[in-house]
Amino acid sequence: MTQKLIPLIADKGGIVNTSTGLTRFTSPGSRLYAAAKGSVEVFTRYLAKELGTRGIRANTIAPGASKGAPYFRNRFIDLVTYKLEDEVNVTEGVNSGLRKDAGKQFLGQAIVGLIEWWFINGMPFSPDVLVEHLGEVIERNL
């Protein structure tokens, strides 16, 4: 399809392909989807290089988790809570007395919610600032 459409794209036009964050982190059961989207990213880089002489830009976006994709959002929360298994301390500190599964779920949803908010609001600050905020959320809740 791309081969048929390239001649129809105006010089100085643009191409936007959609990918996923799953090309940058792993989640059980997502290998084929992630591999397919990884190939979209490589394909897009080649398009950008080959069509650059015509001023045509080619980019890939990876919108991330959203409420419009509850399955992937829930899988992301599952991945985050799985990674928190040995991190959440319910015997002392701010989580003292909580059930471990409740503490993990709360912190996992807070982390995913912050990332989701960042994407939904147009990435209002740099990824480095997002990472700092995530670090603060994790530090306050472990």
Side-chain angles (χ1 to χ4, degrees):
M1 185 165 91
T2 303
Q3 288 176 335
K4 299 284 184 191
L5 292 176
I6 286 175
L8 303 176
I9 298 172
D11 289 352
K12 299 187 180 172
I15 298 170
V16 178
N17 288 323
T18 306
S19 185
T20 176
L22 290 170
T23 61
R24 288 159 193 77
F25 61 87
T26 58
S27 178
S30 299
R31 68 183 175 273
L32 296 176
Y33 179 73
K37 290 299 189 173
S39 67
V40 167
E41 292 182 12
V42 172
F43 177 70
T44 303
R45 285 195 296 269
Y46 274 90
L47 282 175
K49 189 74 169 173
E50 292 172 7
L51 300 176
T53 57
R54 290 182 45 204
I56 297 174
R57 300 169 319 284
N59 292 290
T60 306
I61 60 168
S66 70
K67 290 184 181 174
Y71 172 78
F72 291 105
R73 183 179 193 276
N74 290 336
R75 293 295 302 269
F76 189 36
I77 290 172
D78 291 345
L79 174 68
V80 171
T81 55
Y82 172 78
K83 295 293 186 179
L84 292 170
E85 179 62 38
D86 297 327
E87 303 297 327
V88 175
N89 182 349
V90 294
T91 59
E92 60 187 9
V94 294
N95 295 319
S96 179
L98 284 177
R99 288 181 31 188
K100 188 166 189 165
D101 59 335
K104 287 189 328 180
Q105 189 68 22
F106 169 79
L107 185 53
Q109 288 198 16
I111 291 167
V112 171
L114 181 57
I115 294 168
E116 182 178 46
W117 173 91
W118 187 72
F119 278 109
I120 288 171
N121 287 283
M123 300 175 274
F125 41 79
S126 73
D128 292 338
V129 173
L130 175 65
V131 169
E132 287 176 30
H133 287 306
L134 287 169
E136 290 175 24
V137 167
I138 293 169
E139 188 175 310
R140 290 179 187 173
N141 289 284
L142 292 184

